[in-house]
Amino acid sequence: MLDESLLDTPEALAEADHRALLRGAAEAGARVRTAARHATEAGVHELKPDGRPRAILLAGPGAAATCVADLLGTLAGAACPVTRLAPAGVAPAAGALRWELPGWAGSVDLLIVTTPDGSEPGLSLLVEQAYRRGCTVVAVAPAGSPLADAAGAAHGLFVPMATAPYEQDEQPPVAASAPGVLWALLTPLLALLDRIALITAPPEELERVADRLDHIAERCGPAVATYSNPAKTLAAELADSLPVIWTEGTSAGPAGRRFAAALAELAGRPSLVAELPEALAAHNALLAGPLAAGADPDDFFRDRVEEAPALHARVVLLRDRPIGGLTAAPAARELALSHDTPISELEPEAGDELVTLADLIAMTDFAAVYLALASGA
């Protein structure tokens, strides 16, 4: 059950935020600036690349690495394939995970390793394997970690992860989907890919990203009331709902998948995600079935104290702005409303691709955090 009164009580939100999730979301802009400075100090802007790599291989544990690979692949587009190396192992623990390079990986490929931990033996072994194969190695991890030593031994580029002082003694460890983790790992890699001419992310663009994240933090902060706070509003709308996340536009795709991962890890909420227009066919039967709002009208005699309300779908439409050309948004609204399914829409304010992407990610990150805190996750 969602405690909506908690959303408008900043003191209660702070008391419930044992994982410092709100602080991480609010500090996203500062984290981008710190990570960009670390990239500069590590020598990213002084690199003299011989050309673009044939392929980028990205390894790391958890949802953070998955999201970073998704975002880099989207931004790089057809210029260079970005492939995430999925780990194998008997448990999702640092000592149990193992990664392997594909057989074709060699001297014309780039291996990127991202982790908020850095103690995974499997990642250090992967770096050694890449060195033997002749792959270029770049790692982003906490300073002083075993992975930092492995990257140095492999003559790779190591960028210290931007961390906050309160994270050093955080127990349990910071969640991989936490807002600060994503930007700390992603920002140095944006600077790297800009240097090798795969994307356009010069220092001034990263500063605009940080400014947009600060702007979202002002709009969605805990002191802003729900009625004028889009993130709190979305969190309240998703209470007792199954989020069906539909995305439209290149940047909205990874933002929607990031939102689904954050809902699962931070708030403990299941969700479905798909891109328009294919989502309309993929989820048509779902909206027409028992999850539709009109399929199971509220029972007048239900005990509203002891019995939880029935779970119904709610569409969340994430769109780029400007869309340009054809749009399936009108058809999406028509399909949802024809099945009595409510719909929430989020669009970023105008800006470059990287800035609008940051806008969508920040907005949905705040919503996932508020949902987690208000539901006691």
Side-chain angles (χ1 to χ4, degrees):
M1 297 289 291
L2 186 78
D3 183 1
E4 293 192 32
S5 64
L6 185 142
L7 291 176
D8 285 325
T9 312
E11 297 80 8
L13 282 171
E15 185 177 348
D17 192 10
H18 305 296
R19 295 176 287 176
L21 297 177
L22 268 179
R23 186 185 298 182
E27 293 175 348
R31 197 70 66 101
V32 168
R33 295 185 183 94
T34 302
R37 186 179 71 251
H38 285 181
T40 300
E41 294 171 351
V44 168
H45 298 293
E46 299 172 3
L47 294 175
K48 296 179 173 60
D50 296 329
R52 295 178 176 178
R54 176 181 62 177
I56 295 176
L57 304 170
L58 193 142
T66 301
C67 186
V68 168
D70 194 6
L71 290 168
L72 294 182
T74 298
L75 294 170
C80 180
V82 178
T83 302
R84 178 180 179 252
L85 302 180
V90 296
L97 298 176
R98 293 293 182 270
W99 288 262
E100 290 290 337
L101 288 175
W104 49 263
S107 59
V108 294
D109 302 309
L110 170 63
L111 172 66
I112 295 175
V113 180
T114 62
T115 171
D117 186 339
S119 67
E120 302 90 346
L123 288 178
S124 296
L125 292 173
L126 179 68
V127 169
E128 295 175 9
Q129 182 185 10
Y131 177 65
R132 293 194 300 268
R133 296 268 199 99
C135 295
T136 303
V137 176
V138 176
V140 182
S145 62
L147 182 61
D149 297 333
H155 303 289
L157 175 67
F158 176 76
V159 181
M161 177 182 168
T163 58
Y166 60 85
E167 290 178 347
Q168 304 303 319
D169 301 319
E170 188 76 19
Q171 294 293 334
V174 178
S177 292
V181 172
L182 171 66
W183 293 110
L185 297 178
L186 177 64
T187 303
L189 302 179
L190 295 176
L192 173 68
L193 266 61
D194 174 76
R195 187 61 182 162
I196 60 179
L198 284 178
I199 66 173
T200 302
E204 54 271 21
E205 181 71 4
L206 295 181
E207 184 61 31
R208 283 192 288 271
V209 168
D211 290 342
R212 179 61 64 89
L213 293 173
D214 288 343
H215 174 64
I216 296 299
E218 293 175 359
R219 290 183 61 200
C220 301
V224 181
T226 299
Y227 66 85
S228 58
N229 187 322
K232 287 184 178 180
T233 299
L234 180 59
E237 290 172 345
L238 293 180
D240 305 318
S241 297
L242 172 67
V244 180
I245 304 166
W246 290 347
T247 67
E248 184 172 59
T250 304
S251 297
R257 292 185 286 273
R258 155 77 181 179
F259 188 29
L263 286 173
E265 185 170 2
L266 302 183
R269 297 295 184 99
S271 60
L272 301 172
V273 60
E275 297 187 17
L276 294 176
E278 288 87 351
L280 302 181
H283 292 160
N284 183 35
L286 182 148
L287 297 184
L291 289 176
D296 182 22
D298 191 25
D299 183 0
F300 180 81
F301 297 101
R302 177 175 62 85
D303 187 332
R304 283 157 175 76
V305 175
E306 299 295 335
E307 298 180 31
L311 185 68
H312 295 305
R314 185 182 189 96
V315 171
V316 179
L317 179 57
L318 304 182
R319 302 172 65 202
D320 290 345
R321 179 187 287 178
I323 293 295
L326 300 175
T327 174
R333 298 185 190 102
E334 181 180 354
L335 177 63
L337 297 178
S338 68
H339 293 302
D340 296 324
T341 300
I343 183 168
S344 303
E345 297 190 37
L346 288 181
E347 288 186 359
E349 297 179 11
D352 296 333
E353 180 182 20
L354 195 54
V355 173
T356 58
L357 178 59
D359 192 312
L360 285 174
I361 291 175
M363 194 83 69
T364 52
D365 274 353
F366 266 104
V369 169
Y370 284 127
L371 188 60
L373 298 181
S375 58

